[in-house]
Amino acid sequence: MTDPETLSVTIVDGYVDEPAHFGVPPYISTYPRYAAGALVDAGVPRGQITYHTIDRLRDEPDYWRDVDEADLLIYLGGMTVPGKYVGGTPAEPDEVRKLAWTANGTSLMGGPVKFGVGDENAGATETERQDLDFDFVAKGDVEAAVFDLVESGLEGFNNRMRDIDEVSRWAQEGAFIVEQHPNHPEHLIAELETSRGCAYRCSFCTEPLYGNPSFRPPPTVVGEVDALSDFGVKHFRIGRQADILAYGGDGEAPNPDALRQLYSGIREVAPDLETLHLDNMNPITIVNWPEQSREGIRIIAEHNTPGDTAAFGLESADPVVQEENNLNVSAEECFEAVKIVNEEAGWRPGEDPADAPTFGDDAPRRLPKLLPGINLLHGLKGEREETYERNRAFLQRVYDEGYMLRRINIRQVMAFDGTDMSDTGAEIANEHKQLFKRYKKRVREEIDNPMLERVAPPGTVLPDIHLEYHQDGKTFGRQLGTYPLLVGIPGERQLGRTIDVAVVDHGYRSVTGVPYPLDLNAASMNELTAIPGIGDSTAGDIVVNRPYESIADADLGTEFDLSRFVTTRPLELAD
């Protein structure tokens, strides 16, 4: 019998991406925190629990000794939706096998990897269940398996699901593990779980495999935020749920009182938080209960931070595809939901919420508080060429009627055992690959670009852009939050810093920005020419005639209000 007090445990985070759960850096998912809390609850001292991300093991091979020497290795990972990532690279199957082979102690694997493993995290792929050479695979909740395995002296466990009391306790007790994340403390956002499971049964989705919705009471989530705050976390996303509006209710209808307790409670225990965003919101909830939904959306917009996105799972605007895949919202219903979110939360800091949605020259230069995002999924049963045109037409209607979408996510299906799509697999997605590519390009050019300019017009200020990488003579960075804008800044700047940026131009899914406010007396030619209305000649004149005492002193003669971008600071003169 192994004494928990003597155990050394290494947790390796291979990252997760599920329909209602995200954990690729700068995010940390719930899994490592819950697993750490279960270990502590089972009697393992905090000081004997080591946490590594897969990227840290890649970058610093000496840390593999923690895998080798641990009495218990816990691997957490699994990608059940396709994605491309900037902050980290999810573990590949061969890397996961290497973890099992390296571990001399007992090895346990868990998380959404239990649903299946693919050759890559991409659309139009099929998966299969694999144990990847681990001693144990948690077919239930990995945190429950961790607790039971330690309690048994590493002999085994039942594949059970944890209960609300356990997860609430483990969430708080495991908060300490964030201090071992490479991004801690400044560049880390904690994914928060309010519920899991789903009342609906879409053909492709793994979330219903968790069962009907079960909710954590507001005080338990607030207590977790309080604990995470004590360990330096200032960025949070309420992302682990299928539908934030249904929180605290019967699984379908909104419960505004529960949302008010949740959001006001978080603000009370973490008054200095810097990010409070969410993820999933079901449009059918808004359509079926419009007044309660409006109230819930207003509560969210009152307490969140700007730039928040509510992901809508439309998946397809084609009624044939909707019928064959048990999708729960029509294109017309989804449009109504888009309209309601725009009306209740599409306002920007510094203006009257009653004016929403706002855009154009008179709108404050900040991102709106909360906008919908649209998820479109291709390769579903019943898909035809007409499906692509119906999807594009839906997006065009949203734009033409004066509403905003923060994000349009277009992807191809991944097929998992246990879902209705497992019989169809990736066959349709593969047949339509070329059609999919042409359609996606058209949406990016015709809708994404003008929509992005509406959401973030020139002069929009994006605070706290974290500088992440260099490419083609530019520095790229993002804010922390839900689906943050990728920002390209002229010149190569020191990475790891955060700066405020003003938007000057727009791509399909990214923007170009300059440091805000940009100092006319110090700005480079590349920075100056990035500003609308300033070409090479004007930029050259600015540089030659420096310094300036004021913007007016520069007398640039541009039709744009340059005060949205620039200022003047006195030059420091040599002694």
Side-chain angles (χ1 to χ4, degrees):
M1 189 74 173
T2 305
D3 184 354
E5 291 190 358
T6 68
L7 273 182
S8 66
V9 183
T10 295
I11 299 171
V12 175
D13 189 347
Y15 312 143
V16 302
D17 192 354
E18 303 181 78
H21 198 179
F22 192 55
V24 181
Y27 284 83
I28 182 169
S29 74
T30 66
Y31 290 111
R33 290 151 34 208
Y34 292 0
L39 289 167
V40 172
D41 198 29
V44 180
R46 284 185 185 180
Q48 291 167 211
I49 303 171
T50 300
Y51 168 77
H52 292 308
T53 65
I54 189 67
D55 280 310
R56 173 178 274 167
L57 294 182
R58 292 176 182 131
D59 295 341
E60 302 177 62
D62 286 350
Y63 283 123
W64 279 89
R65 70 174 179 271
D66 293 328
V67 176
D68 176 23
E69 297 173 0
D71 298 315
L72 173 61
L73 168 70
I74 302 168
Y75 170 74
L76 305 167
M79 322 300 283
T80 63
V81 294
K84 295 180 180 179
Y85 312 102
V86 175
T89 302
E92 297 288 343
D94 285 348
E95 292 179 306
V96 182
R97 288 190 182 91
K98 181 182 175 182
L99 289 167
W101 298 338
T102 302
N104 278 313
T106 302
S107 60
L108 166 67
M109 178 174 70
V113 68
K114 69 184 179 184
F115 294 127
V117 179
D119 292 332
E120 59 177 335
N121 183 38
T125 57
E126 299 177 17
T127 67
E128 60 180 346
R129 299 179 191 271
Q130 298 181 25
D131 65 11
L132 299 176
D133 298 328
F134 276 70
D135 296 328
F136 296 102
V137 178
K139 300 294 177 56
D141 281 325
V142 65
E143 54 269 32
V146 166
F147 181 84
D148 294 347
L149 185 61
V150 172
E151 285 265 286
S152 75
L154 303 185
E155 294 296 322
F157 55 86
N158 294 320
N159 285 305
R160 69 178 180 90
M161 309 300 278
R162 37 82 165 171
D163 61 36
I164 292 294
D165 288 340
E166 286 178 322
V167 71
S168 298
R169 188 167 66 249
W170 297 341
Q172 294 190 42
E173 291 182 346
F176 73 95
I177 208 73
V178 298
E179 292 190 313
Q180 298 184 46
H181 195 287
N183 288 38
H184 181 272
E186 288 86 4
H187 193 51
L188 186 66
I189 181 167
E191 186 87 325
L192 299 175
E193 174 187 333
T194 64
S195 70
R196 64 177 186 172
C198 188
Y200 304 99
R201 297 292 183 268
C202 300
S203 69
F204 58 90
C205 188
T206 57
E207 190 60 24
L209 301 180
Y210 288 104
N212 290 324
S214 59
F215 301 98
R216 293 176 60 195
T220 69
V221 183
V222 171
E224 181 183 5
V225 171
D226 196 9
L228 288 165
S229 296
D230 287 344
F231 288 102
V233 178
K234 291 183 178 294
H235 305 274
F236 303 92
R237 186 176 83 152
I238 305 171
R240 182 66 180 102
Q241 71 278 312
D243 180 11
I244 186 61
L245 287 180
Y247 172 65
D250 61 4
E252 297 183 45
N255 183 346
D257 288 340
L259 283 172
R260 186 175 289 105
Q261 290 179 54
L262 175 68
Y263 272 86
S264 63
I266 289 173
R267 281 294 194 172
E268 184 175 344
V269 299
D272 298 324
L273 66 78
E274 296 176 13
T275 304
L276 181 57
H277 280 185
L278 60 88
D279 191 6
N280 296 304
M281 185 180 288
N282 198 330
I284 198 63
T285 305
I286 301 173
V287 174
N288 288 342
W289 294 276
E291 293 311 311
Q292 292 144 287
S293 295
R294 283 181 183 272
E295 183 180 356
I297 292 165
R298 286 194 295 269
I299 291 167
I300 293 169
E302 176 187 351
H303 293 91
N304 72 351
T305 54
D308 202 356
T309 306
F312 279 7
L314 171 60
E315 315 304 353
S316 180
D318 185 345
V320 172
V321 176
Q322 292 164 4
E323 178 68 25
E324 292 201 27
N325 294 274
N326 200 31
L327 306 183
N328 61 49
V329 64
S330 69
E332 190 62 38
E333 290 168 330
C334 190
F335 181 84
E336 179 65 18
V338 166
K339 175 176 177 287
I340 287 174
V341 173
N342 269 260
E343 290 173 349
E344 298 299 339
W347 53 276
R348 303 168 191 261
E351 68 182 359
D352 188 339
D355 293 336
T358 57
F359 50 86
D361 289 341
D362 295 332
R365 282 330 196 233
R366 291 293 302 277
L367 290 177
K369 290 302 293 292
L370 174 68
L371 293 176
I374 296 293
N375 294 336
L376 294 169
L377 186 60
H378 289 274
L380 295 172
K381 292 180 289 184
E383 182 176 283
R384 52 203 174 133
E385 190 166 349
E386 183 180 337
T387 304
Y388 292 84
E389 180 52 34
R390 284 180 174 269
N391 286 354
R392 192 206 62 78
F394 170 83
L395 298 172
Q396 189 66 57
R397 180 188 176 193
V398 172
Y399 182 82
D400 289 345
E401 296 203 21
Y403 299 108
M404 292 181 286
L405 299 174
R406 169 56 199 87
R407 172 181 183 261
I408 301 168
N409 186 24
I410 302 171
R411 54 198 171 93
Q412 288 185 295
V413 71
M414 297 176 75
F416 287 88
D417 286 343
T419 69
D420 291 346
M421 276 300 297
S422 61
D423 293 335
T424 304
E427 180 181 342
I428 296 172
N430 284 315
E431 287 178 359
H432 291 174
K433 278 245 181 195
Q434 293 307 311
L435 179 61
F436 176 79
K437 288 180 180 178
R438 292 194 301 271
Y439 145 86
K440 189 173 182 179
K441 183 175 184 291
R442 187 179 177 192
V443 170
R444 297 296 181 230
E445 292 174 349
E446 297 180 3
I447 298 168
D448 265 313
N449 182 261
M451 183 67 78
L452 186 53
E453 186 166 359
R454 177 176 289 178
V455 172
T460 298
V461 176
L462 305 176
D464 298 323
I465 299 294
H466 185 85
L467 305 182
E468 296 179 277
Y469 65 94
H470 297 138
Q471 183 177 311
D472 300 329
K474 293 182 178 181
T475 303
F476 288 85
R478 298 172 298 171
Q479 295 174 303
L480 284 175
T482 297
Y483 313 118
L485 281 171
L486 182 63
V487 183
I489 304 159
E492 294 195 353
R493 299 172 178 275
Q494 180 183 343
L495 301 182
R497 297 174 53 232
T498 58
I499 64 171
D500 296 346
V501 166
V503 174
V504 295
D505 200 4
H506 305 81
Y508 300 147
R509 306 188 77 190
S510 62
V511 297
T512 299
V514 295
Y516 178 82
L518 188 65
D519 182 9
L520 278 182
N521 288 328
S524 69
M525 285 285 290
N526 284 340
E527 291 169 339
L528 290 169
T529 55
I531 297 174
I534 296 182
D536 290 341
S537 177
T538 303
D541 290 341
I542 291 172
V543 171
V544 168
N545 294 315
R546 291 196 293 215
Y548 305 99
E549 293 184 2
S550 66
I551 298 173
D553 188 36
D555 191 23
L556 301 176
T558 63
E559 60 183 274
F560 291 89
D561 179 7
L562 291 183
S563 65
R564 290 179 173 174
F565 307 97
V566 300
T567 187
T568 55
R569 297 190 182 98
L571 287 179
E572 303 238 354
L573 300 177
D575 292 336

